[in-house]
Amino acid sequence: MKSEDFRALHAAAISARVAAGTLDPAEVVAASFARAKEVGAGREELNLVLWSDEKVAQADAVSVKKGMGPRGGGGSLAGVPMAVKDNIATLGLPTTCASRILAGYVSPFEATAITRLRMEGAIVVAKTNMDEFAMGSSTENSAYGPAHNPHDVRLVTGGSSGGSAAAVASGIVPIALGSETGGSVRQPAAFCGVVGVKPTYGRVSRYGLVAFASSLDHIGAFARNVDDAALVMETISGIDPRDSTSANIPVAKYREQFVSMATTPTPLDGITVGVAGEYFPEMLGTDMRRLCDRALDLLRSLGAKVVSVSMPHTSLAIPVYYIIAPAEASSNLARFDGVRYGMRRSGSASLREMFGDTRSDGFGPEVTRRILLGTYVLSAGYYDAYYRKAQSVRTLIADDFTRVFAGTCDVLFTPTTPTTAFPIGQITDPYEMYMSDIFTATANLAGVPAMSLPIGRSNGMPAGGQIIASHFCEDKMFRVAYALEAALGGEAHQ
Amino acid sequence: MAVSHSEVKHVAELARLTVSDARLDELAAELNGILVHMDVLARLDTSGLSAPSPAPGCTHLRSDSSGPIPLMAPREAFAPSIREGFFTVPRLATHEVTEAADAAGPTP
Amino acid sequence: MTPGKYEMVVGLEVHVQLKTRSKAFCGCSTDFGDAPNINTCPVCLALPGALPVLNEQAVTLAARAALSLGCTIHPVSVFARKNYFYPDLPKGYQITQFDRPLATGGHVAIDVGDGARRIGVTRVHIEEDAGKSIHDRFPRETAIDLNRAGVPLIEIVSEPDMRTSREAGAYLRTLRQILKYLGVSDVSMEEGSLRVDANVSARLHGDAELGTKTEMKNMNSFSGVERALEFEFARQCEVLDRGGKVVQQTLLWDAARGEARVSRTKEGSHDYRYFPEPDLGHLVLDADWLRRVKAEMPELPSDRKARFVSDFSLDAEDVDQLTADPSLGEYFEAVARATADGKSAANWVMGEVQALLNANNVTVDALVVRPADLAQLIHMVRDGLVSHAAAKRVFALMAETGKPAAQVAHEHGLLQVGDDVSLAGWIDEVLAEHPDEATRYLAGERKLQGVLVGFVMKKSAGKADPKRVNQLLVSRVGPG
């Protein structure tokens, strides 16, 4: 099939045609690989894709066509090619977390989210580049080199799920999985001009997501539009007996409401959108402010009420996040010792040396820095002042959301990031890099669902607007996003 | 609170990271550059607060006869070193064995 | 009280492997002795992306143990990570419980002969076991087997209430018996399902403050624990007598040499950086669940002992022997109720049954003689259908074949002969064959009766009813 035809099809459309028998999954897979070649997704160019195998993907396509999945050829994602961030376990393709310490590691088990998508007929075509162990906001911290933004190759894709965001943005796949700990789906979604969703904590099973910070990690989704993103979320959400932190709460049918919304001029009647001054600080650029104002005007015209709210503890998010996340990471990454899997430095005189050499060789500088920071804030004498303190302040941040959602507003609207994508190599100070998460990390700390969608361009680069809802109120979040997306139309990408 | 060279060295030991002396100094500076931003937290009164339960409302319990999760590839496929079914590592020195005994765990 | 200037103060930490089918946080089997690393999965191998899910039965058994020790079970307890590196600790941390354990505040009642004492139990918490490191299988390498990694354990920490090595031994033996009765664990030190670490210090008698304690590890038996405590206490007394200070350190007991050596660790090198386990929610146990656990608890040894004494009129010593092993006690009780004769049942169980078990080195679960069958044998003896001597033979055959008493006795001609005609016949023959003894006996030498009865028993191949034989012989003496 022609490249532009492939790229014009949304995931829902692809699966409908495959189910009807009018589209061969093999053609779709071929188009995906062709597009990847066309844009230069590989190492020497955009460096979005780390691992892929066309033969295996085509074999999967044959299975889907033969209806070998339990749902036959009628799965809701039948024949849809998808990219997967390289920290999510897949069978067949490696899972390296863009780290040397997992070079060549092929997981002998698959993430629950992957299983659920494959049960619906989706086909994994690529594992994508990322910041090593999801630690970063630019996909520059990869052991395999930085990823380049398809809109401007000198600029970052954002991170840590940069490869997946860019794969969708460049049309290689209509959907992709990423992960979030402080904003690693929403931020690259904003930088690349696609939709990026972080669900409520516990909504999607973490089984198979390589842990970075357990209380902050989420699997999230990228898509070119809200409908596809909602479809992916519907598919992967739900309790999992293999994840003790997954929630026993039924998954709503997020897309059902979209049908009726198309026919009403004010689909957001009765919805109140909160705007918090803390997310519109002095340093926010005029372009970003203008785009957000435009979005808010549209929301009003769609029937929403817009009110001012206060989220006073927002500025504490980065300090709190950068104590809790590295602390949990320092413990989660202790398993990488070269004993049972992954890289092992050979020639060590003793076991102690083997551990030290393997880990020092295997981890990049940002990972090393965060492990040290995390170990420090957990260590004797510092645990109370840092880790325990941060967890307590986390409650204050979460309470800000609880308070505003308790009767003042249904969702919040904010810019997703303070700026658009910055040049590769520009930000070298660690803390300055951490500040990219300033508007996104709060949702991870509170566990509330949040998503980014394109709301326009600034200097030619995509800008994202963020919608945050209350726990397990993804349906409201999608409602507002869907309406805004429709109202923006082509202007979202101008 | 400033992190000293020796503290970074100690922490690197705890985390089993081999770091050169020169790099230790750099890291101490980097960590201090990050930790200085955390001082704002020390000024907050959080005396009445406790951390949220990691997974509020969830006590997942598994049945004793739920059965094992199968591995879709044999251990040999991913183990760096495996002999007669055992994972192998360079032989521990005596003091490493007794250190493990110290870890208040089972007899090594 | 320890004699001499100083008093021994002992606290014990006991790790007990829970008798679940699967591990604490994954569904892998806990079977002992399987091929290395065969019982592993993504979770207990700590593969990237794997997550723990708590085994309900581990919680049930842990709660049972805590209840039996009279502990308060906390409706909410929290799992924590204990972070350290070791090749048989796959995650680089152990999931355990730290500042909010499952249960606190219980006791174990012991009696070493000078009256009953309560040894306090500080806490009971749930944690997971590590794998095994084998250092001598391959040259220059250590072999790691993770079959044991993730097996559920409870750690039982006592108060420093013990004052002698004997008390420590009694505490361990009592604790072991309780846990065995509860079906919570196999509690075998040889198999590693029970491990003991000891904390011991010395202080002057009358001192309220505790002395500096040392930790002793690597003891492989209860007697080993007692010997290790005595050794270390003696060493500490010597240090104190010299005017020195006891250094807080960890020691490893060497049973073969009968001494302890210091574990070479640097001070402060063990910072476990405990923090609440983010992959598990709080363990919340509601009142209904606890009520069910309480209701389904097996009988405790102390309760069974009291019951045996009152139901079967047995004395304390007999009861101790019968309740040493829970299965033996059940067996005895079944026999006792079937015969309505506790005393006979006790004699048989403590006698023939125990001897047979000892000779074959098995437990009563291996005995094929069903309680109802032993009861039948006891009745047959009581009713004179077999002599006591023959009954022992019958029992031995029952144990071999699994056949009931009457059948065995009949098949092997062990039924007692009690009819006067047969007996008279044998008596006649014996008197004829032993004329000298016969004449003297009939003349009045009563002391020859036993000998003559013996001849009759021999002639009858043990089948004659000795009681009746005695009666008949006496009747032949006649008046006079």
Side-chain angles (χ1 to χ4, degrees):
Chain A
M1 67 195 295
K2 294 225 277 288
S3 180
E4 56 268 25
D5 293 336
F6 166 60
R7 282 177 283 130
L9 281 178
H10 298 152
I14 292 174
S15 73
R17 287 175 204 206
V18 166
T22 57
L23 180 55
D24 189 336
E27 269 200 71
V28 186
V29 168
S32 171
F33 277 90
R35 180 61 182 170
K37 256 201 211 65
E38 199 179 0
V39 304
R43 294 291 180 80
E44 281 71 51
E45 304 191 58
L46 292 180
N47 202 16
L48 310 179
V49 172
L50 292 178
W51 325 110
S52 66
D53 187 330
E54 190 162 3
K55 279 205 193 71
V56 170
Q58 283 296 358
D60 285 346
V62 168
S63 305
V64 169
K65 184 167 179 201
K66 281 199 187 138
M68 281 169 71
R71 293 190 201 264
S76 60
L77 288 163
V80 177
M82 68 174 173
V84 177
K85 186 177 183 182
D86 204 28
N87 63 350
I88 297 173
T90 52
L91 299 168
L93 291 173
T95 300
T96 72
C97 303
S99 176
R100 268 205 304 266
I101 214 166
L102 280 177
Y105 172 71
V106 179
S107 176
F109 75 100
E110 172 177 81
T112 298
I114 300 289
T115 306
R116 290 180 178 175
L117 289 164
R118 291 200 313 109
M119 292 284 100
E120 292 296 334
I123 299 168
V124 178
V125 296
K127 297 296 290 288
T128 55
N129 203 358
M130 53 183 281
D131 282 298
E132 189 182 357
F133 284 109
M135 298 185 192
S137 308
S138 62
T139 312
E140 291 176 282
N141 294 332
S142 165
Y144 302 101
H148 299 258
N149 196 313
H151 297 283
D152 182 337
V153 304
R154 299 165 302 173
L155 309 182
V156 299
T157 53
S160 57
S161 313
S164 278
V168 171
S170 54
I172 296 169
V173 286
I175 57 171
L177 287 187
S179 78
E180 277 247 357
T181 306
S184 295
V185 165
R186 290 163 287 154
Q187 186 251 33
F191 279 11
C192 292
V194 296
V195 174
V197 179
K198 179 197 90 65
T200 310
Y201 182 83
R203 176 77 289 183
V204 176
S205 168
R206 288 187 296 119
Y207 181 74
L209 170 64
V210 180
F212 158 12
S214 315
S215 73
L216 296 162
D217 287 343
H218 309 60
I219 288 183
F222 296 99
R224 286 196 294 265
N225 60 31
V226 174
D227 188 49
D228 277 356
L231 174 56
V232 174
M233 294 313 300
E234 270 181 19
T235 309
I236 62 176
S237 298
I239 191 169
D240 182 9
R242 293 185 176 165
D243 177 357
S244 300
T245 60
S246 69
N248 190 12
I249 294 185
V251 183
K253 290 253 169 272
Y254 306 131
R255 299 167 70 220
E256 259 172 19
Q257 58 188 336
F258 297 162
V259 179
S260 57
M261 283 170 73
T263 55
T264 162
T266 52
L268 299 186
D269 259 339
I271 298 267
T272 305
V273 175
V275 172
E278 290 84 2
Y279 287 84
F280 293 86
E282 283 280 319
M283 52 87 133
L284 193 64
T286 35
D287 263 0
M288 198 63 85
R289 216 176 272 275
R290 173 181 57 81
L291 292 174
C292 289
D293 284 341
R294 173 174 75 174
L296 286 166
D297 282 339
L298 283 170
L299 289 173
R300 282 189 197 90
S301 72
L302 291 163
K305 198 165 133 214
V306 176
V307 300
S308 252
V309 298
S310 179
M311 310 276 292
H313 300 95
T314 303
S315 65
L316 298 171
I318 298 298
V320 167
Y321 176 81
Y322 279 97
I323 289 175
I324 296 174
E328 293 181 8
S330 70
S331 178
N332 284 326
L333 267 60
R335 66 189 60 199
F336 299 105
D337 53 14
V339 174
R340 299 162 308 289
Y341 51 84
M343 181 202 109
R344 176 195 291 197
R345 248 283 290 270
S346 56
S348 304
S350 69
L351 178 75
R352 186 65 156 252
E353 239 184 69
M354 183 194 105
F355 278 4
D357 292 344
T358 298
R359 289 164 64 76
S360 305
D361 270 4
F363 291 138
E366 181 61 31
V367 173
T368 300
R369 199 171 14 246
R370 294 202 198 188
I371 291 176
L372 289 171
L373 180 58
T375 308
Y376 180 76
V377 301
L378 285 175
S379 65
Y382 296 112
Y383 175 83
D384 283 335
Y386 285 118
Y387 188 77
R388 213 154 72 110
K389 186 79 181 184
Q391 287 282 33
S392 299
V393 177
R394 181 177 181 172
T395 314
L396 294 174
I397 294 169
D399 285 348
D400 277 357
F401 287 100
T402 310
R403 217 179 336 100
V404 300
F405 289 139
T408 313
C409 60
D410 298 291
V411 300
L412 291 165
F413 180 83
T414 85
T416 307
T417 54
T419 68
T420 57
F422 45 85
I424 293 171
Q426 175 174 278
I427 300 182
T428 51
D429 173 59
Y431 205 81
E432 193 187 336
M433 184 67 83
Y434 299 164
M435 288 297 282
S436 316
D437 294 334
I438 193 175
F439 300 144
T440 49
T442 47
N444 298 75
L445 290 166
V448 290
M451 63 185 288
S452 178
L453 68 157
I455 57 169
R457 296 277 168 113
S458 169
N459 291 327
M461 285 307 289
Q466 174 176 235
I467 296 163
I468 309 174
S470 185
H471 294 104
F472 302 104
C473 290
E474 279 85 341
D475 51 342
K476 260 189 218 162
M477 178 184 74
F478 281 123
R479 184 179 192 84
V480 174
Y482 189 82
L484 180 59
E485 176 189 64
L488 277 166
E491 298 208 0
H493 304 284
Q494 288 161 10
Chain B
M1 299 188 215
V3 184
S4 67
H5 173 107
S6 64
E7 278 176 318
V8 181
K9 189 168 171 161
H10 173 63
V11 160
E13 259 281 299
L14 284 178
R16 295 299 187 271
L17 292 169
T18 307
V19 185
S20 69
D21 266 342
R23 184 79 189 113
L24 278 175
D25 285 323
E26 283 169 13
L27 280 166
E30 284 170 21
L31 293 181
N32 281 320
I34 295 165
L35 286 168
V36 71
H37 297 274
M38 310 330 188
D39 287 346
V40 63
L41 300 180
R43 296 196 282 274
L44 290 167
D45 176 19
T46 53
S47 45
L49 297 168
S50 58
S53 164
C58 290
T59 302
H60 281 237
L61 288 174
R62 179 181 50 83
S63 150
D64 197 18
S65 31
S66 56
I69 298 170
L71 288 171
M72 305 307 281
R75 286 155 211 86
E76 286 73 13
F78 52 81
S81 174
I82 193 161
R83 251 175 98 172
E84 295 171 28
F86 293 94
F87 295 104
T88 61
V89 296
R91 168 88 61 86
L92 277 77
T94 327
H95 71 268
E96 291 174 312
V97 173
T98 57
E99 264 173 40
D102 270 9
T107 314
Chain C
M1 268 228 306
T2 15
K5 196 164 148 196
Y6 299 102
E7 175 177 60
M8 181 198 282
V9 175
V10 173
L12 295 176
E13 285 169 21
V14 176
H15 287 89
V16 172
Q17 262 183 10
L18 296 177
K19 212 165 146 159
T20 53
R21 288 163 64 167
S22 63
K23 296 186 178 180
F25 299 109
C26 65
C28 288
S29 165
T30 54
D31 276 351
F32 187 78
D34 283 343
N37 292 304
I38 212 79
N39 295 324
T40 58
C41 76
V43 180
C44 54
L45 284 173
L47 296 185
L51 293 170
V53 185
L54 181 58
N55 182 338
E56 175 158 38
Q57 183 65 355
V59 184
T60 302
L61 295 183
R64 223 188 253 181
L67 286 169
S68 73
L69 300 176
C71 293
T72 304
I73 297 207
H74 300 291
V76 179
S77 62
V78 178
F79 287 99
R81 292 189 184 181
K82 178 179 183 181
N83 298 279
Y84 65 97
F85 283 87
Y86 202 70
D88 63 28
L89 189 70
K91 294 186 291 295
Y93 58 86
Q94 175 199 36
I95 300 179
T96 177
Q97 293 188 302
F98 183 54
D99 54 357
R100 290 182 67 184
L102 174 73
T104 52
H107 68 271
V108 171
I110 62 167
D111 188 341
V112 290
D114 49 2
R117 276 196 67 212
R118 278 191 171 192
I119 305 298
V121 167
T122 317
R123 54 184 276 157
V124 176
H125 73 251
I126 302 171
E127 59 184 33
E128 58 175 344
D129 211 344
K132 275 209 176 93
S133 298
I134 299 150
H135 307 292
D136 51 8
R137 189 186 178 98
F138 304 124
R140 291 182 306 284
E141 287 185 303
T142 290
I144 311 289
D145 177 9
L146 297 175
N147 282 348
R148 199 184 64 178
V151 168
L153 304 174
I154 42 172
E155 181 172 335
I156 302 170
V157 180
S158 84
E159 294 285 333
D161 286 349
M162 287 155 275
R163 296 287 172 267
T164 65
S165 58
R166 267 192 78 205
E167 284 188 351
Y171 172 85
L172 291 171
R173 289 179 182 94
T174 309
L175 181 62
R176 181 177 182 275
Q177 187 184 47
I178 292 171
L179 295 174
K180 197 127 205 256
Y181 264 70
L182 295 177
V184 155
S185 169
D186 287 334
V187 277
S188 157
M189 274 191 96
E190 296 77 47
E191 284 175 10
S193 48
L194 188 151
R195 299 164 218 156
V196 181
D197 293 336
N199 291 311
V200 55
S201 63
R203 66 181 174 191
L204 291 167
H205 281 292
D207 251 2
E209 260 189 57
L210 291 171
T212 307
K213 66 175 189 231
T214 59
E215 192 180 16
M216 181 77 72
K217 289 174 174 280
N218 203 38
M219 298 154 292
N220 298 319
S221 64
F222 291 164
S223 54
V225 172
E226 294 180 22
R227 279 204 315 277
L229 289 172
E230 278 157 24
F231 172 90
E232 176 56 12
F233 177 65
R235 188 193 70 82
Q236 288 191 13
C237 291
E238 207 218 342
V239 167
L240 294 171
D241 274 341
R242 275 191 275 115
K245 279 203 171 71
V246 172
V247 173
Q248 182 164 15
Q249 60 198 354
T250 301
L251 301 151
L252 296 182
W253 178 245
D254 185 336
R257 287 214 181 92
E259 61 184 28
R261 63 179 189 282
V262 181
S263 165
R264 279 185 356 234
T265 37
K266 299 179 291 256
E267 188 53 45
S269 64
H270 279 306
D271 180 354
Y272 296 119
R273 307 179 298 287
Y274 288 98
F275 69 98
E277 170 59 82
D279 288 331
L280 295 171
H282 288 175
L283 180 58
V284 179
L285 304 175
D286 65 46
D288 279 337
W289 187 89
L290 281 171
R291 250 194 299 275
R292 251 203 331 273
V293 171
K294 269 201 192 117
E296 289 165 14
M297 283 231 313
E299 187 179 34
L300 290 175
S302 49
D303 294 332
R304 178 170 289 181
K305 283 183 202 182
R307 204 164 55 74
F308 280 6
V309 165
S310 66
D311 286 2
F312 305 115
S313 311
L314 299 172
D315 64 50
E317 249 184 62
D318 288 348
V319 153
D320 273 347
Q321 209 185 321
L322 290 168
T323 57
D325 173 73
S327 311
L328 191 73
E330 275 158 31
Y331 188 87
F332 156 73
E333 181 160 11
V335 175
R337 294 205 182 277
T339 59
D341 182 353
K343 281 250 178 296
S344 300
N347 289 336
W348 270 92
V349 171
M350 290 192 297
E352 294 305 303
V353 172
Q354 191 66 67
L356 183 70
L357 299 178
N358 291 346
N360 293 298
N361 202 22
V362 293
T363 60
V364 76
D365 302 305
L367 187 62
V368 299
V369 179
R370 292 178 294 266
D373 293 336
L374 179 53
Q376 186 192 46
L377 180 59
I378 292 173
H379 283 157
M380 286 171 72
V381 172
R382 182 189 63 197
D383 298 341
L385 293 169
V386 285
S387 69
H388 202 92
K392 291 191 188 182
R393 180 91 187 100
V394 173
F395 176 74
L397 289 163
M398 287 165 74
E400 266 172 53
T401 63
K403 290 185 183 167
Q407 187 181 346
V408 166
H410 190 262
E411 278 173 13
H412 289 87
L414 292 167
L415 287 167
Q416 197 157 256
V417 175
D419 70 285
D420 286 2
V421 173
S422 308
L423 294 179
W426 282 324
I427 289 172
D428 290 339
E429 281 175 42
V430 163
L431 294 176
E433 281 163 22
H434 303 275
D436 179 43
E437 287 89 343
T439 324
R440 283 160 60 195
Y441 173 73
L442 291 169
E445 267 192 58
R446 276 326 229 2
K447 65 176 195 285
L448 285 170
Q449 179 156 326
V451 171
L452 290 170
V453 171
F455 288 147
V456 173
M457 295 305 295
K458 204 161 156 213
K459 184 159 274 292
S460 70
K463 283 192 254 187
D465 179 354
K467 209 163 133 197
R468 190 69 189 132
V469 168
N470 269 291
Q471 286 170 349
L472 290 174
L473 272 173
V474 165
S475 70
R476 293 219 187 180
V477 177

